[in-house]
Amino acid sequence: MAVICAVIAAFNEERHVADVVAGTRAHVADVLVVDDGSSDETAARAHKAGARVVRHDRNRGKGSAVRTGLAHALHGPICSTIPLRSRSSSSARSTASAIWSSASASW
């Protein structure tokens, strides 16, 4: 069985990250949030919503956060990764659509 990990780069997204994590967890086995040096509760809320969390000590930019997430995700039994936006709609349906569109393109 393929294990898919959604990698979410987030910076000061405490208002949105829990909804995005919850919607994503309904469709993939693993969710990894990279908190890119946030000064708010982004990391805590992502963790509470069920994501694995990696933190940058300072803001390094989205590209660096995505690279960090991919490096962490690919150290495990992950077959495919899907980068998602931390401000994606909190709707589980739109999250699922983004996941399956990305997954279909990579198979």
Side-chain angles (χ1 to χ4, degrees):
M1 181 172 149
V3 177
I4 299 173
C5 177
V7 175
I8 302 171
F11 177 69
N12 290 335
E13 294 292 344
E14 69 182 6
R15 291 182 53 203
H16 305 282
V17 73
D19 288 337
V20 173
V21 169
T24 304
R25 286 193 67 216
H27 303 284
V28 299
D30 191 22
V31 177
L32 175 66
V33 171
V34 180
D35 179 347
D36 192 27
S38 298
S39 60
D40 64 3
E41 294 296 315
T42 296
R45 291 186 183 182
H47 179 73
K48 187 175 181 179
R52 291 188 297 137
V53 178
V54 175
R55 292 204 70 204
H56 284 170
D57 57 347
R58 62 181 171 79
N59 184 266
R60 297 178 185 174
K62 182 179 179 180
S64 180
V66 170
R67 284 190 299 275
T68 296
L70 292 174
H72 277 79
L74 295 175
H75 279 284
I78 305 300
C79 294
S80 183
T81 58
I82 301 169
L84 296 174
R85 296 183 56 208
S86 59
R87 285 195 182 200
S88 295
S89 168
S90 60
S91 158
R93 184 175 32 195
S94 63
T95 301
S97 176
I99 291 167
W100 294 119
S101 293
S102 296
S104 297
S106 67
W107 297 98

